[in-house]
Amino acid sequence: MTIPAPASVGRADWRPGAIVGLGSFGVLGVIVPTVVLAQGVGSEASTLLTLVLVWAALRLSVLAARGTAQLYWLALLMFVYVFFGLAGNLQVRTLTEPDTTPGLVPAAVLTAARLIAVSIVFIELGRRLAAARSTRRTGGTAVRVAGSSRILDGDRLRRVVPLALVGCVLIILRVGPSNYLGSRDRLSLATTAAWGNPTIAALANGLALALPLVTLHALVRHRRAVRAAGGQVPFTPHLILTAALLAFMVNISSSARISFGTVVISTIVLLGAADTPARVRAFVPTIVGAFVLVFPLADVFRREATGLTLRAPEFDSLRTSGDFDSFAQLANTITYVTAQGVTAGNQLLGVVFFWVPRSVWASKPVDTGVLVGEFRGYRFTNLSAPVWAEAYINFGTLGVCAALLALGYAVRRADDRYIALGSSAATFTSLQGAILPFYGIIVLRGSLLQAVGAAAALLAVMTWVTARRPAPETDGTSVRRRREVRRGPTGTR
């Protein structure tokens, strides 16, 4: 199937995008930086972070204007904009440190700002390389994207969905149903006690998210495909039960904020938020604004001692809250490397073999956030370690450049595949594209060792519920398309 490129773009085509893009940049790239620059005093670090803020605002605005469903790119830009450009800049200008990371070294703060600014160049370069590769392989005109090698097949789903539902029930019974109705601290303690080994508990936590969430997405996408083919829509009881289990197991009271947020945002995408340019134009600025306001508020049920009491938004949390410690933790990581040297990949080794229990591997590396926090003498060490910090502690500045180059490349390729197959396709790639970008924010924030377990569980369940076979053109279960990759209003550059 070929998606034709429009011969021309008339006023009705470009005007809505231009209005949204200019409006978004007016807020994100002009008003917000102006407010930030009115705080505190300037410095070289602040200047660099302001450039990062404006770059991310420009890219987000272009994304909104074009209305393309580049969800991985959206997640990366949101992280850079909020955690580095906005929160990090406010902290630098007001000489304020997050309450979990006091005593930052000024030289490390400046180095961190320089490192982030340089990394933006490599993100852009990675995206350019991905675009050039697609163009080169297709003679400079079009990209042919074959139907995903794994598709959502009715026979496969009939076998695995009951097992997935049983798995959810077994996890609930093992941990204790009442613990899912309390605080996050309570559920965390109950999960660790239920499984004994912390590594097994982390994998079980990942499955508690992956099993109901991926199953829900798989059922909805398959039902749409069958409906489009004119068949009788299957799995209605399974869908109702899956939705109920997901709402029970991943809720705002006991779940990690990013897990709950992944469920909410990916479900919005599943319902069609990224299906048309007009919807994407509404979705992008809305999700960015909500992320700044809702992320701190979603922590109201985290601590058992605080009870289930709502509080007003704490706008000062961008400067003082440990939720936004990513920039500070990058500076702390630079301080660690200055004193101790790089780990030459040892921290990365722990991420790759995250599934090996410490009872088997006694010297297994701890989370990078924990390692750096202990080095700095902090009492609270459950700290973030953004990808920038993970790359730096493993391989130094060259590691950051290489990691962000690879990240820019991978994000562009993943978005191109998702868009080419279609947001409504019933494939492994489409499952990934609707869920992983938003869980990817916690991967970007780190520590990787904490985040990788659930990411692996999500990918494993996606593989489990899909079947490896070519997708017929006419059965409604997959898509085989050609997509024009070109500059212009409908492009993805």
Side-chain angles (χ1 to χ4, degrees):
M1 178 177 176
T2 302
I3 301 178
S8 61
V9 180
R11 285 188 177 181
D13 296 316
W14 65 260
R15 183 170 293 176
I19 293 172
V20 171
L22 289 173
S24 296
F25 187 74
V27 174
L28 300 176
V30 177
I31 295 176
V32 171
T34 300
V35 172
V36 170
L37 292 176
Q39 311 298 312
V41 295
S43 64
E44 181 183 343
S46 174
T47 299
L48 292 170
L49 292 176
T50 301
L51 292 175
V52 170
L53 180 67
V54 173
W55 168 81
L58 177 61
R59 278 308 205 171
L60 284 166
S61 301
V62 170
L63 178 57
R66 288 176 172 168
T68 52
Q70 295 176 282
L71 302 181
Y72 290 95
W73 186 222
L74 170 62
L76 175 56
L77 290 172
M78 278 202 310
F79 179 84
V80 173
Y81 183 87
V82 174
F83 287 89
F84 290 152
L86 183 54
N89 203 356
L90 281 171
Q91 292 160 16
V92 168
R93 291 192 65 85
T94 61
L95 302 178
T96 305
E97 298 161 340
D99 49 24
T100 55
T101 54
L104 300 181
V105 177
V109 169
L110 177 57
T111 302
R114 289 172 175 171
L115 202 60
I116 293 168
V118 170
S119 74
I120 298 307
V121 176
F122 284 89
I123 292 174
E124 290 285 7
L125 180 58
R127 289 177 56 78
R128 292 289 179 178
L129 289 175
R133 180 174 181 268
S134 296
T135 303
R136 184 170 60 252
R137 292 184 63 183
T138 57
T141 54
V143 174
R144 179 174 179 79
V145 180
S148 175
S149 60
R150 302 197 68 88
I151 63 168
L152 291 166
D153 172 74
D155 292 336
R156 177 77 175 180
L157 290 175
R158 272 185 282 275
R159 292 195 300 271
V160 303
V161 168
L163 295 177
L165 297 177
V166 169
C168 292
V169 173
L170 290 177
I171 291 173
I172 292 172
L173 294 177
R174 181 68 178 265
V175 175
S178 63
N179 291 313
Y180 287 92
L181 303 177
S183 68
R184 182 184 170 188
D185 280 350
R186 176 179 168 185
L187 179 61
S188 179
L189 291 172
T191 301
T192 301
W195 302 102
N197 189 294
T199 301
I200 303 301
L203 292 173
N205 266 335
L207 286 174
L209 169 67
L211 280 173
L213 178 60
V214 173
T215 302
L216 178 71
H217 277 250
L219 290 174
V220 171
R221 288 179 179 277
H222 179 68
R223 284 163 56 87
R224 286 177 179 169
V226 172
R227 184 184 296 113
Q232 184 175 1
V233 179
F235 297 115
T236 297
H238 301 80
L239 180 62
I240 295 172
L241 181 56
T242 301
L245 286 171
L246 178 61
F248 183 79
M249 298 175 74
V250 188
N251 59 72
I252 194 171
S253 172
S254 60
S255 300
R257 286 167 294 173
I258 198 63
S259 297
F260 180 72
T262 299
V263 169
V264 172
I265 301 173
S266 67
T267 301
I268 292 172
V269 172
L270 181 65
L271 295 176
D275 284 0
T276 67
R279 293 178 185 177
V280 172
R281 288 171 187 141
F283 178 68
V284 170
T286 300
I287 203 67
V288 174
F291 190 73
V292 175
L293 297 176
V294 174
F295 185 71
L297 275 182
D299 201 29
V300 293
F301 304 125
R302 180 187 181 100
R303 302 297 175 203
E304 190 74 30
T306 61
L308 307 186
T309 303
L310 288 171
R311 64 174 183 264
E314 297 177 0
F315 298 105
D316 201 44
S317 64
L318 287 166
R319 295 189 303 113
T320 61
S321 172
D323 294 333
F324 300 100
D325 68 347
S326 294
F327 179 77
Q329 274 296 91
L330 176 55
N332 277 332
T333 302
I334 292 168
T335 302
Y336 174 95
V337 171
T338 300
Q340 304 290 327
V342 299
T343 63
N346 188 59
Q347 288 300 110
L348 181 61
L349 198 65
V351 174
V352 173
F353 295 100
F354 72 94
W355 45 272
V356 179
R358 294 190 185 277
S359 58
V360 176
W361 183 9
S363 60
K364 180 180 177 181
V366 298
D367 296 348
T368 297
V370 172
L371 178 66
V372 172
E374 289 177 346
F375 167 77
R376 297 288 286 128
Y378 297 151
R379 289 194 304 171
F380 179 77
T381 59
N382 185 21
L383 305 169
S384 72
V387 166
W388 288 253
E390 296 277 8
Y392 193 82
I393 202 170
N394 278 285
F395 303 111
T397 301
L398 290 178
V400 174
C401 296
L404 274 297
L405 178 74
L407 182 62
Y409 183 92
V411 162
R412 173 63 188 259
R413 294 285 293 171
D415 278 330
D416 282 353
R417 284 182 58 82
Y418 179 73
I419 294 170
L421 286 170
S423 59
S424 61
T427 66
F428 178 84
T429 298
S430 298
L431 285 175
Q432 280 185 310
I435 297 174
L436 290 187
F438 308 107
Y439 186 79
I441 292 174
I442 197 61
V443 176
L444 291 169
R445 184 171 179 256
S447 298
L448 284 179
L449 190 57
Q450 282 189 6
V452 71
L458 286 166
L459 287 170
V461 176
M462 289 176 193
T463 302
W464 186 48
V465 301
T466 52
R468 188 177 182 83
R469 67 165 78 169
E473 290 283 344
T474 58
D475 68 355
T477 61
S478 69
V479 180
R480 183 178 299 270
R481 291 181 175 177
R482 291 182 181 178
R483 173 174 170 271
E484 297 290 335
V485 176
R486 46 179 267 156
R487 295 184 183 274
T490 59
T492 58
R493 293 187 183 179

